[in-house]
Amino acid sequence: MENSKAILVDITKCIGCRACEQACKELHGFPLATEAKLSTTALTVIEERGDKFVRRLCMNCHDPACASACLVGALKKTSLGPVTYDASKCIGCRYCLVACPFNVPRYEWSKLVPFVKKCDMCFERQSKGQPPACVEACPTGASIVGNRDQILEEAQRRIVLDSKYVKHIYGEQEAGGTSVFFISDVPFEKLGFVAAPQQPMPVLTANALGDVPTVVLVGGAMLSGMYWITQRRRQVALAEAQEKSNSEKGS
Amino acid sequence: MISKLLSRITLWRAIVALIFATGIYAAYARFALGFQQSTNLADPQPWGLWVGLGTLCGVGLSAGGFAIAAAVYLLGFERYRPVLRTAVLVSFLGYLTVIVGMMYELGLPWRIWHPIVMWNRHSVLFEVSWCVMLYTTVLALEFSPSLVEKIPWVRLRDLYLKWHHEILIALVLIGTVLSSLHQSFLGGLYLMTKGKLDPLWYSTYLPSLFYLSAIPAGLAATLVAIYLSVRSLNVRLDLSIMSEISRVIAPLLCIYALFRGVDLFTHDGWRYLWMWREETLSFWLEIGLFVVAPVVLLSREKIRTTPIYLYWTCCLVVMGFMANRLNVSITGLQASSGFYYVPKWTEFALTFATIAAAVLAFRYAVLYLDILPKNMPANRWIADRAAEA
């Protein structure tokens, strides 16, 4: 995934102008009123935490829980970086909401034909070579986009060079790595970031699913064996009974 | 005429009518008004009562079918044969309630067929959906002779029953494997909630724990169904078979408890055992209902051999099992989501109506099909005596 894209959000540079929110809403045709939390009409929001402005959006994980959870494969990790959602496949089971370690996907609870809504890092724009709308709108460079390895290098460079930064790139290890990174001068747990597992989420179920062929083969063989023993016993009992009745007749 | 109609109104009939009336309104609310009007579900709690009670408990309490079928056909425990059809019927109806439940649980139920053609083999839910489809088919086939033997066309009937006899063992074998996978996978769904599900319930062994708890619970549910049939459906059955089956339940519960205990101590779960929190109270309520009380009660000869005591003990097992599944799907996720989910009354109404429909179907199946041996109807005795005289 050498041309995989990633976003870096530098919380120290965000001034809370909400240009990213507005650009996102305009692009998707959502009502422009600002919202406090992620919703089906706000795929990115600025949350105010003390004097800090924390942008929230889908982390577009490298190995996403949602994509492995989705039974019909509506959610997919693209080689470009974004995790996309194919509404035409979705059956509305909402397992992606259960699975997401960052609690990002939103569901259209009020609609009669409800779908899942989440940021897809402007997959369509990016596949045309354009930056995501939010990044393009950011006036201070708090959000930047680029190739994932270069973006990660830039994040590392900043936290090493400037001692004000917390020595942690949120998204580098979280859920096995994401395509959206955060750097900050305030510890992440104080900004409402969840302590996500430090491993790719699909690994959690891969082992259980990997056991299936073994369970089927071993279980099936054991049950067949038991059935064979049961049948054999029955035959032996029958033969013995017959022998007994024969010998009784003979005597 | 009217007085005759009025005399047919009994307390139970009124309750059933009320359950269906509220259920119909709830279904209207779900499909005409949407999730927001009919449920208290929200983004932090995307799965609520319909999944926790309807699906997880519906499937779990249906485990009696495969357990008894495997015992009779594969292990040769012929003494369980009199209740085999009851166990299969309970499972079959249980699975049907799960499928009906999906019709209102899914956001886009008209796309329920999608997993047949759109595959994601990395998804536990994908495997679950296939297990539901395949095992319901197996259960329908296992149950089919009860219906087919009532067909008046002898040749067709015999042809079907002969064919059925030939594939029966294969069916039971496939059914046992599928059902075992399905029970485990329901626990496997929650493997993905690492970091969200409370440590008292999260475990990498959730699949095994779900499997081990489903078998005793499924057997208990079958015993409840048998007892109620004998009580109210004119069924004639030697109830010693109930104590026979109940002897297996306590050891199965002990195996589960042992596994659960070892599991809690091998990860951080045990630290939470004595904390004063809602989750810990729910945990102990669950363990008390599902393990401690039934194991103590079932160790007493008098309880095992008295049908009414045994019935109530099995009810405890069923309730404890439900507590476990609701704890995994609701209570255990509350703290991390910061959302306090209490189901809306319409959620209860729709679930209860679905269960009531299954109970009614069970009742009519026992009355009109040969599920359990029946007493002669009382009036026929009188008629016979009159004829004799």
Side-chain angles (χ1 to χ4, degrees):
Chain A
M1 290 210 210
E2 63 275 11
N3 60 352
S4 168
K5 303 289 180 195
I7 290 177
L8 173 64
V9 181
D10 189 335
I11 291 170
T12 65
K13 291 191 174 182
C14 181
I15 55 169
C17 70
R18 299 181 190 272
C20 49
E21 274 184 25
Q22 293 300 311
C24 180
K25 280 171 173 280
E26 259 169 47
L27 181 81
H28 292 93
F30 295 145
L32 293 178
T34 187
E35 293 176 58
K37 299 264 176 212
L38 289 183
S39 81
T40 51
T41 53
L43 308 185
T44 184
V45 292
I46 299 290
E47 288 180 10
E48 288 178 39
R49 301 270 173 173
D51 60 344
K52 296 288 163 197
F53 300 103
V54 182
R55 186 146 96 88
R56 290 263 284 149
L57 71 160
C58 174
M59 303 292 287
N60 289 279
C61 303
H62 213 54
D63 195 355
C66 59
S68 101
C70 181
L71 78 168
V72 289
L75 290 149
K76 282 245 154 59
K77 177 73 177 177
T78 59
S79 59
L80 193 61
V83 176
T84 56
Y85 169 67
D86 181 350
S88 70
K89 286 185 171 177
C90 180
I91 65 171
C93 73
R94 315 187 293 285
Y95 189 30
C96 50
L97 276 78
V98 174
C100 177
F102 303 106
N103 304 315
V104 164
R106 292 294 181 265
Y107 200 61
E108 297 180 314
W109 299 102
S110 58
K111 296 205 174 167
L112 285 181
V113 183
F115 291 101
V116 173
K117 293 281 173 181
K118 73 165 204 71
C119 153
D120 65 354
M121 263 171 89
C122 284
F123 174 69
E124 272 183 41
R125 284 174 59 96
Q126 289 218 65
S127 38
K128 282 184 249 161
Q130 295 168 306
C134 55
V135 174
E136 195 177 57
C138 183
T140 63
S143 291
I144 57 170
V145 70
N147 287 343
R148 190 175 186 271
D149 39 5
Q150 284 166 356
I151 280 288
L152 205 49
E153 251 170 55
E154 172 63 19
Q156 252 140 13
R157 199 184 59 82
R158 287 190 200 176
I159 64 170
V160 169
L161 287 184
D162 196 334
S163 61
K164 75 179 175 191
Y165 285 105
V166 176
K167 298 283 170 279
H168 179 75
I169 301 171
Y170 190 88
E172 191 183 10
Q173 301 294 330
E174 278 72 17
T178 64
S179 293
V180 174
F181 303 111
F182 290 85
I183 51 174
S184 163
D185 53 351
V186 175
F188 288 101
E189 59 272 19
K190 287 189 183 158
L191 298 176
F193 285 83
V194 293
Q198 307 279 304
Q199 76 198 98
M201 304 298 283
V203 173
L204 297 169
T205 50
N207 292 337
L209 289 174
D211 289 341
V212 172
T214 324
V215 168
V216 170
L217 285 176
V218 175
M222 266 171 58
L223 290 171
S224 313
M226 285 174 189
Y227 173 65
W228 185 82
I229 293 171
T230 308
Q231 281 303 93
R232 184 76 195 135
R233 268 198 190 150
R234 211 172 269 165
Q235 281 165 1
V236 169
L238 200 68
E240 274 175 359
Q242 254 167 6
E243 215 164 88
K244 207 177 160 193
S245 69
N246 282 347
S247 65
E248 271 169 14
K249 269 182 209 162
S251 66
Chain B
M1 183 67 194
I2 290 171
S3 67
K4 204 176 172 190
L5 273 178
L6 281 176
S7 72
R8 289 173 64 90
I9 299 175
T10 62
L11 179 64
W12 280 109
R13 286 196 171 128
I15 291 172
V16 170
L18 186 71
I19 290 176
F20 282 126
T22 52
I24 287 167
Y25 171 76
Y28 159 79
R30 163 65 188 88
F31 291 109
L33 308 174
F35 279 114
Q36 201 160 53
Q37 303 296 317
S38 57
T39 71
N40 282 340
L41 294 172
D43 293 320
Q45 184 72 48
W47 285 357
L49 189 77
W50 289 343
V51 170
L53 190 65
T55 308
L56 296 186
C57 295
V59 171
L61 295 174
S62 301
F66 93 84
I68 302 268
V72 171
Y73 288 116
L74 303 181
L75 306 182
F77 291 165
E78 282 297 326
R79 56 183 188 275
Y80 294 158
R81 196 180 279 269
V83 296
L84 176 67
R85 282 189 165 189
T86 319
V88 170
L89 177 60
V90 168
S91 301
F92 183 43
L93 290 172
Y95 269 71
L96 289 183
T97 63
V98 169
I99 293 174
V100 169
M102 277 174 195
M103 298 315 287
Y104 50 78
E105 206 285 316
L106 289 177
L108 311 166
W110 52 90
R111 291 181 174 180
I112 196 166
W113 53 273
H114 274 195
I116 300 173
V117 289
M118 300 170 191
W119 288 25
N120 177 14
R121 276 186 280 178
H122 300 291
S123 167
V124 180
L125 195 57
F126 171 76
E127 313 271 335
V128 165
S129 69
W130 272 87
C131 285
V132 175
M133 288 187 265
L134 294 175
Y135 189 52
T136 309
T137 312
V138 168
L139 279 171
L141 287 171
E142 278 185 28
F143 173 70
S144 62
S146 314
L147 279 176
V148 172
E149 67 196 12
K150 296 287 176 190
I151 291 180
W153 306 300
V154 181
R155 286 203 32 209
L156 180 69
R157 187 175 71 200
D158 289 352
L159 196 69
Y160 182 86
L161 292 178
K162 187 164 170 272
W163 171 78
H164 187 268
H165 187 75
E166 273 166 20
I167 62 159
L168 184 60
I169 294 301
L171 267 185
V172 173
L173 223 149
I174 295 169
T176 308
V177 172
L178 278 176
S179 171
S180 305
L181 284 177
H182 189 195
Q183 299 291 350
S184 320
F185 280 151
L186 286 183
L189 287 177
Y190 287 89
L191 288 174
M192 217 46 133
T193 59
K194 189 176 186 185
K196 293 210 253 183
L197 183 59
D198 193 272
L200 285 177
W201 291 284
Y202 188 86
S203 155
T204 45
Y205 292 102
L206 267 173
S208 319
L209 289 169
F210 264 53
Y211 182 60
L212 288 175
S213 54
I215 300 174
L219 290 175
T222 309
L223 289 188
V224 167
I226 292 170
Y227 179 76
L228 291 176
S229 310
V230 172
R231 263 289 305 268
S232 64
L233 297 177
N234 205 24
V235 160
R236 180 184 39 132
L237 184 75
D238 182 4
L239 281 173
S240 65
I241 196 165
M242 279 182 70
S243 20
E244 186 91 43
I245 296 174
S246 74
R247 281 224 297 269
V248 194
I249 294 180
L252 285 173
L253 287 175
C254 289
I255 293 173
Y256 167 73
L258 185 74
F259 208 88
R260 182 94 188 265
V262 170
D263 180 61
L264 275 174
F265 276 92
T266 46
H267 70 265
D268 266 357
W270 62 274
R271 289 174 207 275
Y272 297 81
L273 281 176
W274 310 110
M275 282 182 188
W276 184 250
R277 322 173 294 157
E278 198 197 324
E279 286 85 353
T280 307
L281 288 178
S282 302
F283 172 85
W284 284 113
L285 179 72
E286 168 199 324
I287 296 295
L289 280 175
F290 188 51
V291 179
V292 181
V295 168
V296 170
L297 289 171
L298 287 171
S299 69
R300 302 178 72 101
E301 178 81 28
K302 186 160 182 230
I303 298 213
R304 281 203 310 270
T305 51
T306 317
I308 178 81
Y309 294 157
L310 190 52
Y311 164 74
W312 283 110
T313 310
C314 287
C315 287
L316 280 184
V317 175
V318 169
M319 283 192 288
F321 176 81
M322 289 177 12
N324 172 260
R325 296 310 194 249
L326 291 174
N327 279 340
V328 170
S329 60
I330 296 170
T331 321
L333 288 166
Q334 240 158 34
S336 64
S337 70
F339 178 76
Y340 198 81
Y341 165 78
V342 178
K344 202 167 186 159
W345 73 268
T346 36
E347 288 179 72
F348 283 108
L350 210 38
T351 301
F352 288 163
T354 313
I355 297 170
V359 171
L360 271 194
F362 180 83
R363 178 188 150 88
Y364 286 114
V366 172
L367 284 178
Y368 293 110
L369 303 174
D370 297 327
I371 306 295
L372 284 161
K374 269 167 275 194
N375 287 315
M376 289 292 201
N379 52 3
R380 214 166 119 192
W381 280 106
I382 296 164
D384 287 352
R385 283 198 191 132
E388 267 171 42

